Amino acid sequence: MFERAASLAGGAPLFVEGDNVRLTYAELDRAVGGYAAALVRLGAEPGDRILVQAEKSVEGALLYLASLRAGLIYVPLNTAYTAAELAYFIGDAEPKLVFAPGHLDLAELDARPADFETVARGPDDLAAILYTSGTTGRSRGAMLSHDNLASNALVLRDYWRWQAGDVLIHTLPIYHVHGLFVALHGALLNGSTMLWHKGFDADAVLADMARATVMMGVPTYYVRLAAHPGLTRDAVSNMRLFVSGSAPLLEATFADFEAKTGHRILERYGMTEAGMICSNPYEGERIPGTVGFPLPGVEARIREEVLEIRGPNLFKGYWRNPEKTAEDMRPDGFFVTGDMATMAADGRVAIVGRAKDLIIAGGLNIYPKEIELAIDAVPGVGESAVIGVPHPDLGEGVVAVVTRTDPALDEAAVLAGIADLARFKQPRRILFAEALPRNAMGKVQKAALRAAHKNLFGA
Ligand code: MLC
Ligand code: AMP
């Protein structure tokens, strides 16, 4: 599909960094071919996993596409993961090749442009495994097939009216669904230029809006843009579409952004296991606080207040974990998302809460169980409860409430004891308590803790 789109786009720029055209569509085939040939020379065979933990780069994107063409299974990892976390993923995915600190170096790969015959793959063959944490505290790999990715990309192309001349501002990381699939696939399928940013910088993004038409981001991006004095109607006059997702967009952010730009941000909802699931319409009402309608081909229903979904976008299960897959899957093939939702008579969905104990900070998922297990293992800790409370920039901020057996234990000692966890997962604040509030069943009352500390970050 990408090859077809590229041949139509011809000499149009594909990746642009600043004023540099890094690659045109005409060069894509041989550039990716060079990477694919290099992977094969290193011994990778169809079906092998290739694990990549690398700073965002054009080369990294080409490596992903090369992995698809060589019939490999791409396993991207957050660059914030520590060596200990990386070791877990290597053990679980058993990759043939590892591009990560201390392993293979992407920059040293001999990948001069070359012709490469794409390895044929069937629709159900795996294209990628994306790790997502779980309520048990252990990460598990969501297996995504070629058809999972392709079907979702095709639906979004139409739903969001990708069109000739579109230029995408690409600021998202390329180790998650949002940046790797939704944004990258969308642009590639449409033969669109990507203004390629290593990360989100509001000044740089605003400067690029004069030559762009589409932007995708997590709510934190929109919070930061809305707070920027440079966000004006003039600044966005070339823009066609702003998409938000990965975490709830506050109605206040939606309203602030509209007041300053005239644009109503299009909010959509998705997850690693299913790509994009629901979206507000392109034409028609974009209602803040809702995520719109199930995408064409996606079936959605609500059982016991929780959203369940089924469709061609739904993953093939958790890597080497049929028990967990079975736990989250109904006998009729519906997947239990863990998100609490309502559905209006016209089918419009609103996400109203989470049945799963999950925190989302700046669009990154953090499972409290994993953090609690790490904190509880620190000498001097009695027990802990990890919660998310409103945070003005990140949406939610991670907080740990900890009891101690050693009265001298302080915040620094706890943080030092959990240094094996990626920094973004570590609590921004550690609060010490005499005891954790429990209900009659002995269960920690996290709602009470969240209420008690809801103003901690002044959100
Ligand atoms: C960075 N930090 C975070 C953080 N990101 N802490 C909590 N949550 C986050 N998301 C910490 C760093 O560890 C560091 O801590 C400090 O903040 C500054 O780091 P930074 O890298 O300079 O931060 P910044 O560039 O401002 O990054 C924030 C961000 C980024 C929001 C721009 O996290 C981001 O791009 N998030 C997008 C994630 C994403 O792609 N989500 C999609 C998932 S797909 P210290 O203490 O060392 O200073 C999905 C499905 C779907 O969910 O529906 O799309
Ligand atoms: P992940 O596992 O990282 O793919 O994150 C998926 C989760 O992000 C979903 O299960 C939701 O809880 C949350 N999410 C994604 N988009 C939205 C949205 N628009 N509104 C509310 N929550 C969202």
mmCIF file of all heavy atoms in Angstrom, residues 294 297-303 306-311 314-315 325-337 343:
data_model
loop_
_atom_site.group_PDB
_atom_site.id
_atom_site.type_symbol
_atom_site.label_atom_id
_atom_site.label_comp_id
_atom_site.label_asym_id
_atom_site.label_seq_id
_atom_site.Cartn_x
_atom_site.Cartn_y
_atom_site.Cartn_z
ATOM 1 N N PRO A 294 -18.097 4.768 16.818
ATOM 2 C CA PRO A 294 -17.217 3.661 16.421
ATOM 3 C C PRO A 294 -16.873 3.825 14.935
ATOM 4 O O PRO A 294 -17.746 4.152 14.128
ATOM 5 C CB PRO A 294 -18.089 2.425 16.652
ATOM 6 C CG PRO A 294 -19.096 2.855 17.680
ATOM 7 C CD PRO A 294 -19.353 4.307 17.419
ATOM 8 N N GLY A 297 -16.724 -0.425 10.461
ATOM 9 C CA GLY A 297 -16.167 -1.767 10.629
ATOM 10 C C GLY A 297 -15.950 -2.152 12.072
ATOM 11 O O GLY A 297 -15.719 -3.315 12.392
ATOM 12 N N VAL A 298 -16.002 -1.179 12.986
ATOM 13 C CA VAL A 298 -15.796 -1.459 14.409
ATOM 14 C C VAL A 298 -17.158 -1.562 15.095
ATOM 15 O O VAL A 298 -18.007 -0.684 14.940
ATOM 16 C CB VAL A 298 -14.958 -0.357 15.089
ATOM 17 C CG1 VAL A 298 -14.828 -0.623 16.584
ATOM 18 C CG2 VAL A 298 -13.595 -0.238 14.425
ATOM 19 N N GLU A 299 -17.355 -2.667 15.817
ATOM 20 C CA GLU A 299 -18.592 -2.820 16.599
ATOM 21 C C GLU A 299 -18.277 -2.472 18.043
ATOM 22 O O GLU A 299 -17.237 -2.874 18.571
ATOM 23 C CB GLU A 299 -19.069 -4.268 16.551
ATOM 24 C CG GLU A 299 -19.480 -4.759 15.186
ATOM 25 C CD GLU A 299 -19.678 -6.269 15.233
ATOM 26 O OE1 GLU A 299 -20.790 -6.722 15.567
ATOM 27 O OE2 GLU A 299 -18.698 -6.988 14.965
ATOM 28 N N ALA A 300 -19.176 -1.752 18.675
ATOM 29 C CA ALA A 300 -18.962 -1.379 20.073
ATOM 30 C C ALA A 300 -20.237 -1.625 20.867
ATOM 31 O O ALA A 300 -21.341 -1.454 20.353
ATOM 32 C CB ALA A 300 -18.564 0.094 20.164
ATOM 33 N N ARG A 301 -20.065 -2.073 22.107
ATOM 34 C CA ARG A 301 -21.225 -2.236 22.988
ATOM 35 C C ARG A 301 -20.765 -1.954 24.418
ATOM 36 O O ARG A 301 -19.558 -1.954 24.702
ATOM 37 C CB ARG A 301 -21.789 -3.655 22.870
ATOM 38 C CG ARG A 301 -20.877 -4.710 23.456
ATOM 39 C CD ARG A 301 -21.432 -6.114 23.239
ATOM 40 N NE ARG A 301 -20.580 -7.102 23.903
ATOM 41 C CZ ARG A 301 -20.552 -8.390 23.589
ATOM 42 N NH1 ARG A 301 -21.320 -8.862 22.614
ATOM 43 N NH2 ARG A 301 -19.768 -9.221 24.251
ATOM 44 N N ILE A 302 -21.735 -1.727 25.281
ATOM 45 C CA ILE A 302 -21.382 -1.467 26.673
ATOM 46 C C ILE A 302 -21.988 -2.549 27.548
ATOM 47 O O ILE A 302 -23.184 -2.838 27.465
ATOM 48 C CB ILE A 302 -21.828 -0.054 27.082
ATOM 49 C CG1 ILE A 302 -20.961 0.938 26.296
ATOM 50 C CG2 ILE A 302 -21.660 0.165 28.578
ATOM 51 C CD1 ILE A 302 -21.393 2.339 26.337
ATOM 52 N N ARG A 303 -21.123 -3.217 28.315
ATOM 53 C CA ARG A 303 -21.544 -4.278 29.235
ATOM 54 C C ARG A 303 -21.042 -3.904 30.620
ATOM 55 O O ARG A 303 -19.841 -3.713 30.801
ATOM 56 C CB ARG A 303 -20.917 -5.624 28.844
ATOM 57 C CG ARG A 303 -21.473 -6.267 27.587
ATOM 58 C CD ARG A 303 -22.757 -7.041 27.891
ATOM 59 N NE ARG A 303 -23.196 -7.819 26.742
ATOM 60 C CZ ARG A 303 -23.787 -7.328 25.658
ATOM 61 N NH1 ARG A 303 -24.020 -6.034 25.561
ATOM 62 N NH2 ARG A 303 -24.169 -8.116 24.670
ATOM 63 N N VAL A 306 -18.767 -0.967 30.909
ATOM 64 C CA VAL A 306 -17.449 -1.000 30.266
ATOM 65 C C VAL A 306 -17.605 -1.196 28.761
ATOM 66 O O VAL A 306 -18.441 -1.980 28.300
ATOM 67 C CB VAL A 306 -16.582 -2.124 30.882
ATOM 68 C CG1 VAL A 306 -15.295 -2.302 30.078
ATOM 69 C CG2 VAL A 306 -16.268 -1.799 32.336
ATOM 70 N N LEU A 307 -16.785 -0.473 28.012
ATOM 71 C CA LEU A 307 -16.834 -0.553 26.554
ATOM 72 C C LEU A 307 -16.174 -1.846 26.066
ATOM 73 O O LEU A 307 -15.065 -2.190 26.486
ATOM 74 C CB LEU A 307 -16.092 0.652 25.956
ATOM 75 C CG LEU A 307 -16.152 0.786 24.433
ATOM 76 C CD1 LEU A 307 -17.562 1.154 23.972
ATOM 77 C CD2 LEU A 307 -15.158 1.842 23.963
ATOM 78 N N GLU A 308 -16.885 -2.555 25.183
ATOM 79 C CA GLU A 308 -16.335 -3.751 24.543
ATOM 80 C C GLU A 308 -16.369 -3.530 23.040
ATOM 81 O O GLU A 308 -17.316 -2.926 22.526
ATOM 82 C CB GLU A 308 -17.153 -4.992 24.925
ATOM 83 C CG GLU A 308 -17.190 -5.225 26.435
ATOM 84 C CD GLU A 308 -17.876 -6.536 26.828
ATOM 85 O OE1 GLU A 308 -18.435 -7.221 25.930
ATOM 86 O OE2 GLU A 308 -17.839 -6.861 28.022
ATOM 87 N N ILE A 309 -15.344 -4.022 22.354
ATOM 88 C CA ILE A 309 -15.269 -3.752 20.912
ATOM 89 C C ILE A 309 -14.817 -4.978 20.121
ATOM 90 O O ILE A 309 -14.199 -5.898 20.653
ATOM 91 C CB ILE A 309 -14.296 -2.589 20.609
ATOM 92 C CG1 ILE A 309 -12.894 -2.923 21.131
ATOM 93 C CG2 ILE A 309 -14.774 -1.294 21.213
ATOM 94 C CD1 ILE A 309 -11.845 -2.687 20.127
ATOM 95 N N ARG A 310 -15.137 -4.947 18.841
ATOM 96 C CA ARG A 310 -14.759 -6.033 17.937
ATOM 97 C C ARG A 310 -14.569 -5.424 16.549
ATOM 98 O O ARG A 310 -15.264 -4.462 16.199
ATOM 99 C CB ARG A 310 -15.891 -7.068 17.911
ATOM 100 C CG ARG A 310 -15.589 -8.345 17.169
ATOM 101 C CD ARG A 310 -16.617 -9.392 17.497
ATOM 102 N NE ARG A 310 -17.914 -9.121 16.851
ATOM 103 C CZ ARG A 310 -18.966 -9.946 16.879
ATOM 104 N NH1 ARG A 310 -18.881 -11.085 17.548
ATOM 105 N NH2 ARG A 310 -20.091 -9.628 16.289
ATOM 106 N N GLY A 311 -13.648 -5.964 15.774
ATOM 107 C CA GLY A 311 -13.470 -5.432 14.427
ATOM 108 C C GLY A 311 -12.140 -5.856 13.843
ATOM 109 O O GLY A 311 -11.327 -6.505 14.521
ATOM 110 N N LEU A 314 -8.874 -5.247 15.736
ATOM 111 C CA LEU A 314 -8.590 -5.881 17.031
ATOM 112 C C LEU A 314 -7.414 -6.856 16.942
ATOM 113 O O LEU A 314 -7.358 -7.708 16.053
ATOM 114 C CB LEU A 314 -9.842 -6.610 17.524
ATOM 115 C CG LEU A 314 -9.796 -7.122 18.962
ATOM 116 C CD1 LEU A 314 -9.514 -5.981 19.942
ATOM 117 C CD2 LEU A 314 -11.105 -7.807 19.311
ATOM 118 N N PHE A 315 -6.503 -6.733 17.889
ATOM 119 C CA PHE A 315 -5.247 -7.485 17.887
ATOM 120 C C PHE A 315 -5.440 -9.003 17.935
ATOM 121 O O PHE A 315 -6.548 -9.499 18.137
ATOM 122 C CB PHE A 315 -4.350 -7.016 19.034
ATOM 123 C CG PHE A 315 -4.757 -7.476 20.425
ATOM 124 C CD1 PHE A 315 -3.795 -7.822 21.356
ATOM 125 C CD2 PHE A 315 -6.089 -7.551 20.810
ATOM 126 C CE1 PHE A 315 -4.140 -8.230 22.644
ATOM 127 C CE2 PHE A 315 -6.439 -7.961 22.095
ATOM 128 C CZ PHE A 315 -5.448 -8.309 23.002
ATOM 129 N N THR A 325 -4.977 -13.251 27.325
ATOM 130 C CA THR A 325 -5.812 -12.943 26.164
ATOM 131 C C THR A 325 -7.246 -13.399 26.435
ATOM 132 O O THR A 325 -8.201 -12.663 26.206
ATOM 133 C CB THR A 325 -5.267 -13.656 24.907
ATOM 134 O OG1 THR A 325 -3.887 -13.320 24.755
ATOM 135 C CG2 THR A 325 -6.028 -13.241 23.658
ATOM 136 N N ALA A 326 -7.376 -14.614 26.949
ATOM 137 C CA ALA A 326 -8.704 -15.175 27.199
ATOM 138 C C ALA A 326 -9.455 -14.354 28.248
ATOM 139 O O ALA A 326 -10.670 -14.159 28.158
ATOM 140 C CB ALA A 326 -8.578 -16.630 27.657
ATOM 141 N N GLU A 327 -8.726 -13.853 29.220
ATOM 142 C CA GLU A 327 -9.335 -13.071 30.294
ATOM 143 C C GLU A 327 -10.011 -11.797 29.758
ATOM 144 O O GLU A 327 -11.037 -11.368 30.268
ATOM 145 C CB GLU A 327 -8.211 -12.614 31.233
ATOM 146 C CG GLU A 327 -8.454 -12.838 32.695
ATOM 147 C CD GLU A 327 -7.168 -12.516 33.451
ATOM 148 O OE1 GLU A 327 -6.921 -11.331 33.718
ATOM 149 O OE2 GLU A 327 -6.410 -13.476 33.737
ATOM 150 N N ASP A 328 -9.403 -11.187 28.741
ATOM 151 C CA ASP A 328 -9.894 -9.902 28.234
ATOM 152 C C ASP A 328 -10.828 -10.060 27.047
ATOM 153 O O ASP A 328 -11.273 -9.071 26.478
ATOM 154 C CB ASP A 328 -8.716 -9.009 27.816
ATOM 155 C CG ASP A 328 -7.920 -8.535 29.017
ATOM 156 O OD1 ASP A 328 -8.374 -8.776 30.147
ATOM 157 O OD2 ASP A 328 -6.848 -7.935 28.824
ATOM 158 N N MET A 329 -11.091 -11.296 26.648
ATOM 159 C CA MET A 329 -11.853 -11.544 25.426
ATOM 160 C C MET A 329 -13.145 -12.282 25.761
ATOM 161 O O MET A 329 -13.119 -13.283 26.456
ATOM 162 C CB MET A 329 -10.969 -12.410 24.511
ATOM 163 C CG MET A 329 -11.085 -12.160 23.047
ATOM 164 S SD MET A 329 -10.602 -10.525 22.517
ATOM 165 C CE MET A 329 -8.992 -10.866 21.840
ATOM 166 N N ARG A 330 -14.279 -11.778 25.264
ATOM 167 C CA ARG A 330 -15.544 -12.490 25.424
ATOM 168 C C ARG A 330 -15.602 -13.650 24.430
ATOM 169 O O ARG A 330 -14.974 -13.593 23.378
ATOM 170 C CB ARG A 330 -16.706 -11.541 25.157
ATOM 171 C CG ARG A 330 -16.772 -10.354 26.089
ATOM 172 C CD ARG A 330 -17.283 -10.761 27.439
ATOM 173 N NE ARG A 330 -17.432 -9.585 28.301
ATOM 174 C CZ ARG A 330 -17.294 -9.621 29.619
ATOM 175 N NH1 ARG A 330 -16.995 -10.762 30.226
ATOM 176 N NH2 ARG A 330 -17.449 -8.535 30.328
ATOM 177 N N PRO A 331 -16.433 -14.659 24.747
ATOM 178 C CA PRO A 331 -16.539 -15.810 23.828
ATOM 179 C C PRO A 331 -16.950 -15.402 22.415
ATOM 180 O O PRO A 331 -16.565 -16.062 21.442
ATOM 181 C CB PRO A 331 -17.616 -16.684 24.480
ATOM 182 C CG PRO A 331 -17.629 -16.282 25.916
ATOM 183 C CD PRO A 331 -17.225 -14.838 25.973
ATOM 184 N N ASP A 332 -17.700 -14.310 22.262
ATOM 185 C CA ASP A 332 -18.126 -13.905 20.921
ATOM 186 C C ASP A 332 -17.130 -12.964 20.244
ATOM 187 O O ASP A 332 -17.449 -12.321 19.240
ATOM 188 C CB ASP A 332 -19.527 -13.264 20.968
ATOM 189 C CG ASP A 332 -19.559 -12.021 21.851
ATOM 190 O OD1 ASP A 332 -18.504 -11.663 22.422
ATOM 191 O OD2 ASP A 332 -20.632 -11.412 21.971
ATOM 192 N N GLY A 333 -15.913 -12.883 20.807
ATOM 193 C CA GLY A 333 -14.863 -12.135 20.112
ATOM 194 C C GLY A 333 -14.772 -10.672 20.471
ATOM 195 O O GLY A 333 -13.916 -9.966 19.933
ATOM 196 N N PHE A 334 -15.635 -10.209 21.367
ATOM 197 C CA PHE A 334 -15.512 -8.815 21.799
ATOM 198 C C PHE A 334 -14.380 -8.692 22.820
ATOM 199 O O PHE A 334 -14.191 -9.562 23.667
ATOM 200 C CB PHE A 334 -16.821 -8.314 22.423
ATOM 201 C CG PHE A 334 -17.784 -7.755 21.410
ATOM 202 C CD1 PHE A 334 -18.587 -8.604 20.649
ATOM 203 C CD2 PHE A 334 -17.887 -6.382 21.218
ATOM 204 C CE1 PHE A 334 -19.472 -8.096 19.711
ATOM 205 C CE2 PHE A 334 -18.772 -5.861 20.285
ATOM 206 C CZ PHE A 334 -19.568 -6.727 19.527
ATOM 207 N N PHE A 335 -13.652 -7.602 22.736
ATOM 208 C CA PHE A 335 -12.541 -7.316 23.637
ATOM 209 C C PHE A 335 -12.997 -6.320 24.704
ATOM 210 O O PHE A 335 -13.642 -5.313 24.391
ATOM 211 C CB PHE A 335 -11.374 -6.735 22.828
ATOM 212 C CG PHE A 335 -10.213 -6.273 23.659
ATOM 213 C CD1 PHE A 335 -9.386 -7.187 24.309
ATOM 214 C CD2 PHE A 335 -9.931 -4.917 23.795
ATOM 215 C CE1 PHE A 335 -8.307 -6.762 25.074
ATOM 216 C CE2 PHE A 335 -8.850 -4.490 24.555
ATOM 217 C CZ PHE A 335 -8.035 -5.407 25.191
ATOM 218 N N VAL A 336 -12.660 -6.617 25.945
ATOM 219 C CA VAL A 336 -13.051 -5.747 27.052
ATOM 220 C C VAL A 336 -11.979 -4.667 27.226
ATOM 221 O O VAL A 336 -10.853 -4.959 27.620
ATOM 222 C CB VAL A 336 -13.194 -6.579 28.351
ATOM 223 C CG1 VAL A 336 -13.674 -5.701 29.506
ATOM 224 C CG2 VAL A 336 -14.133 -7.753 28.134
ATOM 225 N N THR A 337 -12.339 -3.423 26.910
ATOM 226 C CA THR A 337 -11.317 -2.367 26.879
ATOM 227 C C THR A 337 -10.868 -1.928 28.263
ATOM 228 O O THR A 337 -9.780 -1.391 28.414
ATOM 229 C CB THR A 337 -11.840 -1.107 26.162
ATOM 230 O OG1 THR A 337 -12.935 -0.576 26.935
ATOM 231 C CG2 THR A 337 -12.276 -1.413 24.741
ATOM 232 N N MET A 343 -23.026 5.241 25.751
ATOM 233 C CA MET A 343 -23.320 5.353 24.324
ATOM 234 C C MET A 343 -24.698 5.973 24.174
ATOM 235 O O MET A 343 -25.684 5.482 24.725
ATOM 236 C CB MET A 343 -23.280 3.968 23.667
ATOM 237 C CG MET A 343 -23.195 4.046 22.145
ATOM 238 S SD MET A 343 -23.309 2.425 21.384
ATOM 239 C CE MET A 343 -21.708 1.758 21.749
#
